[in-house]
Structure formats: C-alpha cells, structure tokens
Amino acid sequence: MYSEKVMDHFKNPRNVGEIDNPDGVGEVGNPVCGDIMKIFLKVENNTIVDAKFKTFGCGAAIASSSMATELVRGKTLEEAWDVSNKAVAEALEGLPPIKMHCSVLAEEGIHKAINDYRKKQGLPLWEEKHPHSHEHGEDLTCAH
Ligand code: FES
C-alpha cells in the first residue's frame, strides 16, 4: 500500500522534535481523525534555516511532516509557501488516495508556521491560494 519512501520516512522520520526559540510555530489538526501536527521554523534573512516537527498521528502524517520539513529547509519563505501537499506526496513517491489528506496537514502546518513568523514580524499574513476545505466536498476523511 505504501511506497518505500513513505515507509522510510515513517520508520526514520527526519527533523523530529522542537526548536528552541522558534521564529514560527504552526499547529494544525484534522478534526475527523484527531491527528495533530506541530511545525517549528527557524528563519534567517527570509530563508528557513531549520524546520522540525512533532506529529501525533498516522504513519502517512508522520512521513508527510518528515518530508515537508526536509523540503522547506533552505527555501525562502515564498518558495516554502508554494510547497503544496501534492509536492509532499510526490516527493514521497505517492500516497494512497485515502491518505492524501494526511499530506494536507503538512502543507497547512507549514503555512501556519510561516504566518506565525510573519505576524511576529508585523508583516501582513499570506492567504491560502488553494484552501483545503474540511466541509466542502474535498475528501479529508481519515481511514485508519
Ligand atoms: Fe488522520 Fe492521517 S492524518 S489518518
């Protein structure tokens, strides 16, 4: 059911933990399955120099947070904002359709952490270009 990449990032997740004095923190949850993800960012000169996560959730959510933190490290905030849940899933060599919503948590967590940073800097918050809806038909249901 899962690609080798997913299994690898599930068994050996990268960037697990917290950052001391993070510049941005984003916490998101999926109300359906109750899974929770927290993302911590360290930002220097508009670039993400460190990213860590804590995820209480399914294997696909753990693999997605691991991959998402890998993908945003070294990126500017603009580039990191454009890392979509599809990009995370592609980097994991695919997720089963019923697990795609787990990668949405990673995108939302990164976005929240970036906006937390922007808020602390007194900058205007960025808006979701492709809001994921928990109500309007997009399948975010969890299947454990
Ligand atoms: Fe809930 Fe994966 S995030 S099942």
Side-chain angles (χ1 to χ4, degrees), residues 121-134:
Q121 301 295 311
L123 297 166
L125 301 190
W126 284 339
E127 296 204 5
E128 300 286 344
K129 282 185 226 154
H130 312 286
H132 295 280
S133 168
H134 292 270

Side-chain angles (χ1 to χ4, degrees), residues 30 32-37 57-61 98-99 101-103 105 140-144:
N30 182 319
V32 184
C33 59
D35 290 349
I36 297 169
M37 187 183 291
C58 72
I98 59 159
K99 286 288 174 184
H101 71 273
C102 312
S103 62
L105 272 188
L140 297 179
T141 44
C142 283
H144 279 286

Side-chain angles (χ1 to χ4, degrees), residues 2-42:
Y2 289 114
S3 72
E4 269 177 37
K5 266 251 158 82
V6 173
M7 290 313 290
D8 176 30
H9 279 262
F10 170 54
K11 287 192 196 145
N12 310 297
R14 327 300 197 259
N15 314 318
V16 178
E18 291 186 31
I19 293 177
D20 287 338
N21 300 318
D23 297 308
V25 180
E27 184 168 343
V28 287
N30 182 319
V32 184
C33 59
D35 290 349
I36 297 169
M37 187 183 291
K38 202 165 176 182
I39 304 273
F40 304 84
L41 298 178
K42 194 98 206 145

